[in-house]
Amino acid sequence: MKVTSSEFIISAVGPKQYPTDGLHEIALVGRSNVGKSSLLNKMMNRKGLARISSRPGKTQTLNYFRVNQMLYFVDFPGYGYAKVAKTIKEQWGKMIEGYLKNRKELRFIIQLVDIRHAPSKDDIAMYDWCKQIGIPTVVVATKGDKIARGRWLQHTKIIRQSLNLRGDDTIIVFSSETGQGKDELWAEIMRRIRASEEIAKETATKAEETAPANE
């Protein structure tokens, strides 16, 4: 997809601050230092739009980025960083749980894992949580440039088995350095958005057909 506009909108700490324009929302989750900001910048063609922090765990809000006036990327706080205070982690948990369970604009999750390592317990717990709630997930194996292309299949197989990938969930190898996986990820995003729009249309049509006629 050609990105013609991308902008940071808000760092939200609760539902009252979430956008109200009804655009599609795609949440990005992953461990601290897995490369969420780098992926966002590459996907939006903006080098410094999503800030890359030297201090893992710094993001403590849901950061909204609007693309082409069509969708939002919602950047979640990174998980698995030991030095983040327990009270802050608890606040994150409540905010994230409320968003995942209640946000009707959320279409699916992009979960980032480092291709060089097997998914952590936190990665597995996050994926399982999304499955329990019923949220579709696209797993992105970041830092694909850090290992030889010939080893991608081996490493993605480990990720797939460790997470126990289910349903329509898929894995895409990505590199913010080379752009590997960018077009594939955009294609997957658009495919899923179109599918959700078709489902919404079908639901609306069925509701109209079953609605009682006005006397």
Side-chain angles (χ1 to χ4, degrees):
M1 186 183 79
K2 183 177 180 181
V3 176
T4 56
S5 68
S6 56
E7 55 188 329
F8 169 73
I9 299 300
I10 192 172
S11 292
V13 296
K16 291 182 179 179
Q17 293 182 306
Y18 298 162
T20 58
D21 50 15
L23 296 182
H24 304 290
E25 295 182 10
I26 302 163
L28 280 82
V29 303
R31 287 175 56 85
S32 300
N33 272 357
V34 75
K36 284 195 286 96
S37 295
S38 296
L39 180 143
L40 281 168
N41 287 329
K42 179 61 69 171
M43 293 294 288
M44 297 186 293
N45 293 334
R46 295 282 298 275
K47 287 185 177 181
L49 188 58
R51 295 181 181 179
I52 301 171
S53 174
S54 60
R55 291 195 292 122
K58 184 178 180 181
T59 301
Q60 300 175 12
T61 56
L62 299 185
N63 293 329
Y64 274 80
F65 299 89
R66 187 166 58 204
V67 182
N68 286 4
Q69 307 295 320
M70 180 186 69
L71 61 84
Y72 288 104
F73 285 128
V74 186
D75 186 19
F76 275 37
Y79 52 75
Y81 190 62
K83 292 185 179 180
V84 175
K86 182 179 179 181
T87 53
I88 294 177
K89 284 186 177 180
E90 290 174 351
Q91 291 172 4
W92 288 357
K94 292 177 182 178
M95 175 176 62
I96 291 171
E97 182 175 9
Y99 176 90
L100 292 177
K101 286 185 175 180
N102 303 318
R103 188 63 173 167
K104 65 180 182 179
E105 288 84 358
L106 175 63
R107 297 296 171 257
F108 61 93
I109 292 283
I110 295 178
Q111 181 174 6
L112 281 66
V113 296
D114 190 327
I115 194 172
R116 299 172 296 178
H117 311 294
S120 67
K121 290 182 180 179
D122 289 325
D123 290 326
I124 295 170
M126 186 72 216
Y127 182 80
D128 286 343
W129 192 16
C130 290
K131 295 306 97 181
Q132 290 172 15
I133 299 173
I135 303 173
T137 305
V138 175
V139 177
V140 173
T142 62
K143 307 185 182 182
D145 58 291
K146 302 300 183 184
I147 64 173
R149 181 181 288 264
R151 295 170 58 198
W152 286 357
L153 182 60
Q154 173 190 352
H155 284 250
T156 55
K157 182 178 179 181
I158 292 172
I159 294 171
R160 183 182 298 276
Q161 292 176 341
S162 298
L163 295 179
N164 186 22
L165 241 63
R166 279 151 263 179
D168 191 34
D169 295 349
T170 187
I171 297 178
I172 295 173
V173 178
F174 193 93
S175 169
S176 59
E177 295 294 325
T178 67
Q180 163 66 39
K182 176 183 174 181
D183 291 341
E184 186 180 355
L185 181 53
W186 267 123
E188 183 68 11
I189 289 170
M190 296 310 299
R191 182 185 74 81
R192 289 175 178 264
I193 285 178
R194 284 192 295 268
S196 69
E197 290 176 342
E198 286 300 319
I199 291 173
K201 288 180 182 178
E202 290 176 4
T203 301
T205 300
K206 289 180 180 178
E208 291 177 0
E209 291 175 347
T210 57
N214 293 327
E215 294 183 1

